[in-house]
Amino acid sequence: MEKLRPQLSTRWIATVASIWIQCSVGASYTFSIYSAVLKSSQGYSQSTLDTVSVFKDIGANAGVISGLLYSFVTRKTSLPLCVVHVVGAIQYFLGYFLMWASVVGLIDKPPVALMCFFMFLAAHAQTFFNTADVVSGLENFPHYGGTIVGIMKGFLGLSGAILIQVYDTFFKGEASTYLLMLALLPTCVSLVLMFLVRIYEKTTSDHKKHLNGFSAVAMIIAGYLMVIIILENIFTLPLWARISTFILLLILLLLPLGIAINALREESNRSLQTDSIESNLLTDKGEQVTSPNFSTAEDAIQYTIEDTTAEDTIEVKATSDDKMLLDGEHLNPLQSMCTVNFWLLFVAMICGMGSGLATINNMSQIGASLSYTTVEVNNLVSLWSIWNFLGRFGAGYASDYLLHTRGWARPVLMAVTLATMAVGHIVIASGFPGNLYVGSVLVGICYGSQWSLMPTITSELFGVRHMGTIFNTIAIANPVGSYVLSVKVIGYIYDKEASGDDDTCYGTRCFMLSFLIMAAVAFLGCLVAVALFFRTKRFYQLAVLRR
C-alpha cells in the first residue's frame, strides 16, 4: 500500500478521478426524464413546472459559493480539496432524496417554494464538483487550458446520457425510482474518489499527448452512447442486451485509467534517464562541454537580451487598455466586475446559455406538442448529452488549436457558435418532420461550446487565482436567461395557446413564436461576442500567444 500511494498522488490519477466524478454528477441535464412524473404527482401547470426547472438552473449555475470555498480551501488554509466535494455530496443527496420522497408520497406534498428549494439544493451541488474538477485541472495543466476544460466539461455533458443508460438498464419506465438513484449513485461515486483530486506543482513536461488520449476516449464513449441511443430508438432491447451494453460502457469508462498508467510509466522512464544523465555529468567534474549543439553562457545572455528587447518593444506598442488586460491575472471578482469585458461575456452567456437551457428544459413538452413518442423524447434528451459533449470538447480543443496555430482569439469561436445556435432555434420553430432531431443537434453543440469557451476566456482575461469564483459568477447568466425565456416567453405563450382541462397544447403554434424570439436573442449574443473579440483581440496577441 505504501508503494501504491505515491503513484496515486499524481496529476494523472487526479484527472481520472475528476473525469469519473464528472461522469456521474450531470443529472441537471436529465430533467425531462422525471419532469412528467413531477408535474403529475404535484399537480403543476406548465408555468409552475418551468418555475421549478428555473431553480434547477439557478442552482446548477450559481456557483459563487463553490468558487469562494475553493479559493478559501486552496489559498487560505491547509484543508484538502475534498472538502469542496463533501459539501457538494451532502447537497446532492438531500436535494434528490427529498424530491423523491415528495413524488412517492413519503412526505406530504410540499409547497411550490419548498420544491423549488429541493431542486435548487440538488442542482447547486453540481457547482461544487464542477469547480473542484475544472479549476484543479486548469492548475494542473495550465498550458492546455482549452483542452482540459473541454475534457472536464465534455464528460459532464456526457454524464446525462450515462445516467440515462443506468436508468434504462435497471429502472426503465420508473421515473420516480430514477430520482432515488440520483440521490445515491453520484453521491457515492464522489465520496469514494474525492481524495484523489488534488493540485500539483507545475512542470515543464509536454502533457498534450496524454490529454489527447483522454480526448480520444471521450470521443469513443460519445460515439458508443450515440449508437446505443439510436438502437434503442429503432429496436426494443431485451434486458440481457441492455445489461451487456451497460457493461461495455463501464469498460470504456475504465480507459482513462489506462492512459494515466501509461503517462506515469513514461514520466518514470524519463525521470530515470534524467537521473542517469546527471550522474554521468557528476563523474566528469572538470570537463567543459563545448559543442555547436549546446548554448554557452554567452549565448544565453544574448538570447535573454533579445527576448527582453522584443518584450519591451511589444510593451511600448501596447495601448492603455491592453496594459489593463495584461494585469488581469491580479483581478479579484469585484475588480473583474468593474471591467467592460466581464459584462460583455455575461450578456453573451445570457443569450447563448439561457436560450440553450430553455430548449432542453422544455424538450418533453415540445416533443409532446409535435406528437413525438415518450421513447423518442427520452432519446432526444440522451442525444442532447452527446451534442452537449461534442460542443464542450470540440470548442475547447478547437479554440486551443486555432489560438496557437492561427492566432484566433477564443471570442471568435463564441460568436460563430452563437450564430449557429440562432439557426438551430429557427429549425425547431419551423416544425417540419424531424425538426427536433436537427434543431437539438445544432442547439446542443452550440450550448455545450459556451461551457468550454466561457471558463477558458475567463481564466485568460482575469487569471486562475480567483477563476473559480469569477467564472461561476458569469455562469449565473445561464439561469437568468433561462428564467426569462422559459417562464416569461415559452411558458407564457404555451399556457396562452393551451386548451382543455389538462392545459396541453398541440401543433407548431405552441412553440413557434417562442423559438423565433430565442433565435433573435441568440443572434444578439453573437453580436456581443463579436464586440468582445474586437476588445480582446490585441490582448490575445500580446499576452496569451506569448505564454
Side-chain angles (χ1 to χ4, degrees):
M1 187 67 182
E2 292 297 327
K3 292 182 179 180
L4 184 62
R5 188 172 299 169
Q7 296 181 5
L8 292 177
S9 300
T10 68
R11 71 186 73 245
W12 297 110
I13 297 299
T15 303
V16 173
S18 294
I19 286 173
W20 286 344
I21 291 174
Q22 293 290 89
C23 283
S24 67
V25 297
S28 62
Y29 301 110
T30 65
F31 176 72
S32 294
I33 297 297
Y34 59 88
S35 62
V37 70
L38 188 64
K39 181 180 181 181
S40 60
S41 66
Q42 306 302 305
Y44 292 156
S45 66
Q46 183 61 37
S47 293
T48 303
L49 183 66
D50 282 337
T51 300
V52 174
S53 74
V54 164
F55 276 85
K56 168 186 68 67
D57 303 335
I58 293 173
N61 296 280
V64 176
I65 295 176
S66 65
L68 291 172
L69 179 61
Y70 180 92
S71 297
F72 177 77
V73 168
T74 57
R75 313 293 182 192
K76 306 289 186 181
T77 71
S78 58
L79 293 172
L81 184 57
C82 64
V83 170
V84 182
H85 287 96
V86 169
V87 175
I90 293 172
Q91 294 181 70
Y92 211 100
F93 173 77
L94 288 177
Y96 283 111
F97 182 81
L98 291 172
M99 274 192 286
W100 169 77
S102 302
V103 168
V104 300
L106 191 63
I107 61 176
D108 292 337
K109 187 183 298 184
V112 174
L114 189 56
M115 181 61 77
C116 289
F117 175 72
F118 294 163
M119 185 66 76
F120 172 86
L121 199 63
H124 191 240
Q126 183 175 304
T127 67
F128 289 82
F129 303 124
N130 199 33
T131 299
D133 296 335
V134 171
V135 182
S136 63
L138 263 173
E139 297 201 48
N140 285 333
F141 302 99
H143 300 298
Y144 300 101
T147 301
I148 191 63
V149 170
I151 291 170
M152 292 300 165
K153 289 290 189 178
F155 275 105
L156 181 65
L158 281 179
S159 65
I162 294 171
L163 290 171
I164 291 174
Q165 286 302 307
V166 179
Y167 165 69
D168 284 342
T169 303
F170 301 104
F171 314 109
K172 191 174 182 65
E174 302 175 18
S176 58
T177 308
Y178 178 65
L179 283 169
L180 181 60
M181 185 200 85
L182 293 181
L184 298 175
L185 179 61
T187 302
C188 293
V189 170
S190 61
L191 290 177
V192 169
L193 297 173
M194 64 184 182
F195 299 101
L196 299 176
V197 181
R198 301 175 185 175
I199 301 172
Y200 295 91
E201 294 182 0
K202 297 179 182 179
T203 66
T204 56
S205 302
D206 186 5
H207 303 123
K208 186 65 173 176
K209 172 186 173 183
H210 300 297
L211 289 178
N212 286 343
F214 288 132
S215 299
V217 168
M219 293 294 292
I220 292 171
I221 294 174
Y224 176 74
L225 285 170
M226 185 168 63
V227 170
I228 295 302
I229 292 168
I230 292 172
L231 288 176
E232 289 175 343
N233 195 24
I234 300 174
F235 307 104
T236 301
L237 298 181
L239 180 60
W240 67 266
R242 296 202 303 270
I243 293 176
S244 299
T245 56
F246 180 70
I247 291 173
L248 182 54
L249 175 61
L250 291 180
I251 294 173
L252 292 176
L253 288 172
L254 289 174
L255 291 179
L257 182 60
I259 294 172
I261 293 173
N262 187 40
L264 291 174
R265 186 182 297 114
E266 288 190 9
E267 288 187 355
S268 177
N269 293 337
R270 192 181 303 118
S271 177
L272 291 174
Q273 291 175 359
T274 302
D275 292 341
S276 176
I277 292 173
E278 289 178 353
S279 62
N280 290 335
L281 289 175
L282 288 174
T283 58
D284 302 329
K285 291 182 180 179
E287 296 184 10
Q288 179 74 29
V289 179
T290 56
S291 169
N293 295 327
F294 292 89
S295 298
T296 63
E298 187 176 337
D299 295 330
I301 295 173
Q302 181 180 354
Y303 293 145
T304 301
I305 293 173
E306 289 178 357
D307 290 343
T308 304
T309 304
E311 291 182 6
D312 289 341
T313 303
I314 293 174
E315 288 295 332
V316 169
K317 293 180 180 179
T319 65
S320 59
D321 286 344
D322 297 328
K323 290 178 180 177
M324 181 184 68
L325 285 172
L326 289 170
D327 291 334
E329 292 188 6
H330 306 290
L331 295 183
N332 60 39
L334 291 178
Q335 290 171 329
S336 67
M337 292 175 69
C338 294
T339 65
V340 174
N341 293 330
F342 177 93
W343 293 107
L344 288 175
L345 196 54
F346 188 85
V347 172
M349 293 304 96
I350 286 179
C351 299
M353 290 182 173
S355 63
L357 192 57
T359 301
I360 185 59
N361 283 344
N362 291 276
M363 189 67 72
S364 179
Q365 287 70 36
I366 299 169
S369 70
L370 297 175
S371 300
Y372 284 74
T373 66
T374 302
V375 174
E376 288 175 325
V377 171
N378 288 345
N379 287 336
L380 281 168
V381 175
S382 297
L383 286 171
W384 174 276
S385 293
I386 305 298
W387 315 139
N388 192 6
F389 156 76
L390 289 176
R392 292 167 184 247
F393 165 73
Y397 189 89
S399 64
D400 263 357
Y401 174 80
L402 293 174
L403 179 65
H404 295 296
T405 61
R406 304 292 180 86
W408 290 11
R410 297 189 204 272
V412 171
L413 198 55
M414 180 177 286
V416 171
T417 53
L418 288 173
T420 307
M421 180 181 285
V423 175
H425 289 315
I426 293 173
V427 169
I428 295 176
S430 65
F432 63 82
N435 69 316
L436 272 187
Y437 287 99
V438 178
S440 64
V441 170
L442 295 175
V443 177
I445 290 176
C446 295
Y447 172 76
S449 298
Q450 311 314 310
W451 278 114
S452 179
L453 294 170
M454 184 271 285
T456 312
I457 293 173
T458 300
S459 69
E460 290 167 345
L461 295 183
F462 309 114
V464 180
R465 185 180 302 171
H466 300 285
M467 181 216 166
T469 306
I470 296 173
F471 102 79
N472 277 309
T473 302
I474 296 174
I476 295 175
N478 195 7
V480 170
S482 175
Y483 173 78
V484 174
L485 295 171
S486 289
V487 178
K488 301 301 182 182
V489 177
I490 294 178
Y492 174 78
I493 295 175
Y494 182 94
D495 288 340
K496 190 175 180 180
E497 297 289 344
S499 60
D501 296 333
D502 55 354
D503 292 326
T504 55
C505 178
Y506 298 98
T508 57
R509 61 188 176 86
C510 305
F511 292 97
M512 177 180 287
L513 179 58
S514 300
F515 275 87
L516 290 177
I517 292 173
M518 290 204 296
V521 170
F523 186 71
L524 173 62
C526 169
L527 298 179
V528 174
V530 170
L532 180 64
F533 161 70
F534 283 111
R535 281 190 56 84
T536 59
K537 179 180 178 181
R538 190 165 184 79
F539 161 72
Y540 275 94
Q541 294 173 343
L542 295 173
V544 178
L545 293 177
R546 294 188 303 168
R547 294 176 183 173

